[in-house]
Amino acid sequence: MLWLSKKRNNQKLLLWILLQDRDRGFTLVELLVIVVIVGVLSAIVAPGWLGFVNNNRLSASQSRVFSAIKDAQSIAKRSGTAVDFTIGNDPTNGAYVVTSRSQAQYLEQGVQVLSVTKNSEPAPTAVPLPLTISFNSQGLPTGITGNSTFNDFPLTITLNVANTPNRKRCTTITTILGSMKSGIDTDCP
């Protein structure tokens, strides 16, 4: 019997200790350790996350430019009339694309038109913004910003995010027939 009463006393003591510890909470040192761990993990993850977000913004903007040019060509063919495509940088709202048959579509936040270059001899030439490309009734590019002819191929529109100059996306009109291709980083001027 003595053994049984000792066991009950030990159980009561253990229960009393456990109940006392539940009301204690966390110490300041424990909370500081958690804050430091969260801070270190955030410092490690943040640059990778920003790079991921910027890549997605660039890709979405490149797709929007590509599809806006294709839409301008398609509308010109279907309607049998000339259609203009314009791209530029707006200091208030950012980069935009617009056709003569649609409203302005702004590119993703933070994305800007870095450059527009056309192939001319002896070296590629920068084209001033805003850039307007005219497509005739057959959907062929016929003129750019003030020039009556469009024969300096390829014409490359390069996009980037202002704080990451090494990440670029470009859309290139490669031939007089208006065929296009997209490029990433080293493919872009």
Side-chain angles (χ1 to χ4, degrees):
M1 281 298 186
L2 185 62
W3 174 77
L4 189 58
S5 73
K6 263 188 165 180
K7 186 174 179 184
R8 285 190 183 157
N9 285 341
N10 287 343
Q11 287 176 345
K12 285 182 184 179
L13 180 63
L14 183 61
L15 183 62
W16 183 80
I17 291 172
L18 289 175
L19 289 177
Q20 292 298 319
D21 283 346
R22 279 179 37 175
D23 294 337
R24 206 174 85 185
F26 295 107
T27 66
L28 183 60
V29 172
E30 290 170 334
L31 292 175
L32 287 174
V33 167
I34 297 299
V35 168
V36 167
I37 290 171
V38 168
V40 167
L41 290 176
S42 297
I44 292 169
V45 171
W49 176 254
L50 289 176
F52 172 75
V53 169
N54 287 338
N55 278 340
N56 283 347
R57 287 179 179 166
L58 277 173
S59 295
S61 296
Q62 179 187 29
S63 295
R64 187 166 293 157
V65 169
F66 192 91
S67 66
I69 293 172
K70 283 293 189 190
D71 286 347
Q73 289 176 317
S74 177
I75 292 169
K77 287 179 189 176
R78 277 184 296 173
S79 67
T81 60
V83 174
D84 292 335
F85 163 82
T86 303
I87 186 167
N89 287 323
D90 178 9
T92 306
N93 298 317
Y96 64 92
V97 293
V98 64
T99 66
S100 57
R101 304 284 175 107
S102 69
Q103 294 186 356
Q105 299 177 28
Y106 288 94
L107 303 184
E108 297 292 320
Q109 180 182 357
V111 174
Q112 64 185 4
V113 180
L114 179 64
S115 66
V116 177
T117 56
K118 63 180 179 175
N119 187 28
S120 55
E121 295 300 327
T125 307
V127 178
L129 292 175
L131 167 74
T132 300
I133 303 171
S134 299
F135 294 96
N136 67 11
S137 61
Q138 297 172 331
L140 305 176
T142 56
I144 61 170
T145 313
N147 292 352
S148 58
T149 60
F150 186 47
N151 52 13
D152 296 327
F153 292 100
L155 177 78
T156 304
I157 300 167
T158 304
L159 307 173
N160 81 334
V161 176
N163 59 357
T164 56
N166 295 334
R167 290 195 176 125
K168 299 185 248 179
R169 301 287 186 270
C170 58
T171 300
T172 304
I173 300 175
T174 56
T175 68
I176 196 162
L177 297 176
S179 64
M180 296 177 18
K181 69 176 186 175
S182 296
I184 299 174
D185 297 332
T186 56
D187 300 335
C188 304

